[in-house]
Amino acid sequence: MLQSLLVCALALGTPTWADPDLPPEFYPEHHQVDALLETNPPPHGVMFLIRNEREDVLVELLPRARYYIERLQERLPGTHMAVISYGPELVALSHAKRADYPGLQDEAVALAEMDNVDLHLCGAFAADVNLDAGDFPPELDVVPSSTATYQDYEALGYETIVLQPAW
């Protein structure tokens, strides 16, 4: 049955998070999020890591991160969430790419403005592609090093979920 569903999905093209017919089980991290929902005591925090060579991947992954964050906050109120983008995909959030990805900056800012949520962009990677904090919306936190930020959250006991494209 699962194989038939996969064949049908592939025949219809690459699905996106907005596809209402795609069950959550199709996403790589779904079961990890479900397990966190049952954790007792709850984790101190949860960090979502995003790194992908595709610049457009945030179009799929930011809405999925928001969905998971809302689910987790519903069941684990007060738990801090962080989203860390540390690869080529973060370029899509720059002012220069705003027209290429309509609404993506707004989506990222809305995510960063949620209670108990931080969205961090890797300043070291940004510098490698000649960008700095001024090239992104001010609501997005451009950190000097995503590695140091990740390690800080890890030291605090945050659970890690790596977000990947569905296909």
Side-chain angles (χ1 to χ4, degrees):
M1 169 104 172
L2 182 59
Q3 184 178 12
S4 298
L5 285 173
L6 286 173
V7 169
C8 289
L10 288 173
L12 294 173
T14 302
T16 65
W17 178 249
D19 184 348
D21 298 323
L22 191 61
E25 304 82 55
F26 275 83
Y27 297 101
E29 65 286 328
H30 168 74
H31 297 292
Q32 191 178 1
V33 173
D34 278 353
L36 282 178
L37 291 170
E38 303 303 321
T39 303
N40 192 8
H44 182 70
V46 178
M47 65 177 144
F48 295 90
L49 301 180
I50 301 173
R51 187 189 190 295
N52 195 278
E53 297 300 318
R54 287 186 17 228
E55 185 178 282
D56 68 341
V57 77
L58 291 178
V59 171
E60 174 186 346
L61 297 183
L62 283 185
R64 195 174 337 147
R66 184 181 183 112
Y67 170 76
Y68 289 139
I69 287 168
E70 288 172 347
R71 284 186 66 206
L72 288 163
Q73 286 181 334
E74 216 174 85
R75 296 278 290 280
L76 308 170
T79 302
H80 182 260
M81 312 283 168
V83 178
I84 303 172
S85 173
Y86 61 102
E89 74 286 342
L90 67 79
V91 173
L93 295 172
S94 68
H95 297 307
K97 295 290 187 165
R98 188 174 182 94
D100 294 344
Y101 302 102
L104 186 62
Q105 275 191 7
D106 296 335
E107 181 136 14
V109 168
L111 186 61
E113 290 180 335
M114 291 176 68
D115 287 339
N116 287 321
V117 177
D118 290 311
L119 196 154
H120 306 289
L121 304 178
C122 182
F125 184 86
D128 286 346
V129 293
N130 298 315
L131 298 171
D132 62 29
D135 292 307
F136 299 96
E139 297 85 358
L140 306 183
D141 182 31
V142 179
V143 296
S145 165
S146 60
T147 303
T149 302
Y150 167 84
Q151 290 172 341
D152 289 346
Y153 282 125
E154 190 176 51
L156 291 171
Y158 278 55
E159 294 291 329
T160 302
I161 297 175
V162 177
L163 293 180
Q164 301 173 10
W167 303 100

